[in-house]
Amino acid sequence: MGVEPRLIGRLLERTQLASGLESAVQAEPMATLVCGEPGIGKTALTRELVTLARARDFHVLSGQCLRFGADVTGFLPLSQALASWLARTNSSARGAHFADARAVGDLVPALSGSTAADSGSVILQFGSVIWALCQDRPTLLVIEDLHWADPSSLNVLSYLIAGLTEGQRLHVHVTYRDTELGEGHRLHGWLADVSHMPSVRRLPLSRLDLWQTEQLVLQHAGSYSAALAERIYERSGGNPYLIELLVAQSGAGEDVAVGRGNDLREALLATWHRLSPAARTVTQVLAVSGRPVSYSLLSGLVEMTGVGATQFKPALANATAQGITLDTESGDVWFRHPLLAEVVGGTLSAPERASLELTWITAWESAVGVSERDRANHLALHYAAVQDADRCFAWSLRAADEAAQINAPGEEYRHLSTAVGLLPALSAEASDQVDAVSLFTRAASAAELAGEYREAQRQYQHALDRIDRHREPLAAARILLPLAFLQDNLEASSRLSASLLPQALQLTAAFPLSEERAICLSHLALDEAWEGVGAAAAHAEEAVRLAEHLGAPKALAWALAVRSQTRWYTEEGIADAARAVAMAEELGDTELVSRSSVFLSNNYEDTGQWAAAAEVTRKAYLLVRNKGQHTHAANVGCIAADWFLELGRWDEARAMIREILSFQQSNRWAGFSRCVAARLAGLEGNLDAAAMHLQRARELIPRLTAVGDLRLVSEVHFAIASGDPSLALDLVEQHIGDAVRVQPGAADEYLHYAARAAGDLAESGNSALTHEARTRLRRIEKLRGDRPPLFLNRGPLDLVHPALASLYAADRSRCVGDLGEQTRLWHAAVAATERAGLRYEHARALYFLGHALLTQRQGRPAAVDALSQSRAQAIDLGARPLARLVEDLATQAHLRLGGPVPDTNTGSTQPLAHLSLTRREREILRHVVAGETYAQIAAALFISPKTVSVHVSNLLRKSGTSSRIELASLARQPAKEPAVVGHADDQHGIPETHRP
């Protein structure tokens, strides 16, 4: 791509490595052993460490062991480390001891051209060089790929690490592949010797999760879709190197599957070709197995291919040592990456593979002492490969039964889907024994539990098509109910306009005292409630009475939960929902637990008890997740994460969203999770990631609704965060009328966002846009009306609605230009948001309070106090854009703020902070300062070189410079020291051109 990609994730590891450098500065030496599989990111992490060390003026010595190093020459990585230091360090920077050194031999005479250097001399001389460098300044010694190190180099490292004592300014950083340490590898003994030393720590690197994979795909791909990232994550297993290869392949217009002759396939097979012939045969047999297998079963089958019993163990050890295979947690043998199974299997011809499939069938049918789940899984797979429909069908059902016993709906559905697909190919005898309706219904239920809503809808429809509604009306109604619910969550139309519920109600009309009738009425009432239909309350009441009469606990729990949604803003609504949650927990119904908890959360929201809403959804998430019901956990979890975000508990929100995304589902709740992720990324200043999450949310939630829709809220947030307040006003104006009709509290939340967007638009510095902002806000306020009253306080526990009211009033004053009132209104907003526990809103209100105080010249010390608090809160949250706003305002007003300083890597270039630069201009300025070409900048930012040229021209014009060199020189100059705040000079406000 022309530039070094920035490192994705690894925040904990990066922090630990940075702390190692800090320890070296403080004369507390340390050695860090970074390990992991090939491609896991050891080199990228090391590269960042080296960059950080050089920026801190460390001596940096970096060497790399080579595969052939132990066989060709000793001390290779150490010689390379010395040579690299000499090449990069001029004589004046080498210190008094080595100013005249020109070659490695000048530093370590024992290495001067000798092919058999004396080990003892090298150890002492190399150690002397390191100690001398440490006395001059902090020193970093990096040795990569230690698994290939020669014994002599290991001895030198042992000497250095054993000699680490307080007072030495040294950090030793080594990397190695723990996957290539086969039995008898020399590094085992070395690691055992050094690992117990107190100055040594081991830092293993794990694979990336889906969240991090998406960030990496976004960085490397020219175009992006979250669906592509999900496929790449599934194919790569989270290995960064494989992710990058798959991205490159998809960028070439290929699918993420591995084809023949492409770079990805060759890269994966490079190590495989170095295996012994017997090891290659073992891996080919394993690849055809399709799944992990036991050591004994693999051993017996490999013998049938001609690899003797004495050859099998060393052959498998060879494959494991080279990072091809591994022992799973269950003790089975499998490939380290799923892609390896595919490419190794592809080395077989069709006849060879077919023969091995049959051999595996024989082995599994006669195997003793194996898991019946494993037997069913493998035989279903192999019979499918040989196209034996009847046997594949039977074993697929057996495998589905086994999956159901361990509560694995995803696995259960995969097998049931296979069985359903085989129905047309079954023999007449096998087909006669199949209850197709039951099979389709079971497949649909498993798909729904697995979060595969489209598949569930398709399977329920197949079942419905095969039922005679006149003969079996209740059976048809039982299918129509979940089908209607799925349709509501998948279709872009109104919930009622094309609903299947009227059909279900008609079918149950002849059975007025049935449980099916009660549940139908509950679902109807729910749809009506969300569409603002007045009959919702009556139908919910009827459902409750019928369920109580029948003594049907599940139907009653549903009815109570739904009735709570017709009793918003009331204690009765909270009581209904709480009772439904308790009943659902007692029934052990995870779907009811999740949905009734969300409904209880809604009632708490309406009464301003947001902390209680967060707690009830958090508790439900943990309960349902721990039962393995990930779809229902995602349902309630995304709501809990949204509350965490609102309340400033961003770390909890981030952790929960990442966990929900790891469930890898493609339904409405996954879409809502993306919405929360988008809002969080936008507040953190990562607009590219926010756009990515929001795009996936649009794919999963195609329609926008006025109430209960996290996507609409996220769209408004993103429009504001990305500097498009006009779009935010469009969205609010389109939907606030429906919100008033259904739930006025939601309308008030949109009104508060509209005031914020209008304030941003009015302060753009354009009189036409100011007029537009005021006109549009008045129009939105008219749509909201004054009945019920705005931001109605719902009781003594309601601290949120007064806070929203104060934010609305303060932002509205920005829009209408009421400068005289702004200080008072932002003071009120600061107090109200603090009482309500809205941490981000509190930090934002503090910023605008400081801005108002400076604008009105009402007290610099008070402004400093407000801005210092705002910045500290923003930094603590991770709200980088807000922290940068505070910094920019303080710089322009010549204020020195107390408290922590924001991350300079994400802020603006301070010497040019007085310029009105766009976000893109600031990004490009950082690359210009780094000395990158137009092509490199374009590749890094995914824009064209021509666009880069336009932005650079704007930077030259705004900064008054005539060349990129002059621009970079100006940007590198130290920032001017701000004036000391110690006197109340109210004559110094802020420039009128400053707009937050």
Side-chain angles (χ1 to χ4, degrees), residues 839-903:
R839 295 184 63 211
Y840 175 78
E841 298 294 352
H842 180 59
R844 180 176 173 273
L846 282 165
Y847 164 75
F848 278 106
L849 173 59
H851 185 278
L853 288 167
L854 291 171
T855 303
Q856 299 302 303
R857 297 181 173 86
Q858 294 178 352
R860 288 168 64 83
V864 169
D865 181 58
L867 293 174
S868 297
Q869 290 185 58
S870 176
R871 184 178 67 173
Q873 187 95 295
I875 293 171
D876 186 52
L877 286 169
R880 288 187 290 268
L882 179 56
R884 287 199 297 270
L885 279 177
V886 175
E887 281 290 304
D888 289 347
L889 177 56
T891 299
Q892 293 187 36
H894 305 294
L895 303 179
R896 175 181 289 169
L897 304 181
V901 178
D903 182 2

Side-chain angles (χ1 to χ4, degrees), residues 610-656:
W610 286 13
E615 179 57 27
V616 72
T617 48
R618 183 197 66 83
K619 176 186 173 184
Y621 172 76
L622 294 175
L623 187 154
V624 177
R625 183 206 62 182
N626 292 342
K627 290 190 175 184
Q629 297 294 340
H630 289 166
T631 296
H632 299 151
N635 173 4
V636 67
C638 62
I639 305 301
D642 189 57
W643 287 126
F644 292 153
L645 186 60
E646 293 281 8
L647 295 169
R649 294 158 63 178
W650 289 9
D651 286 342
E652 293 173 84
R654 189 180 297 106
M656 186 169 286

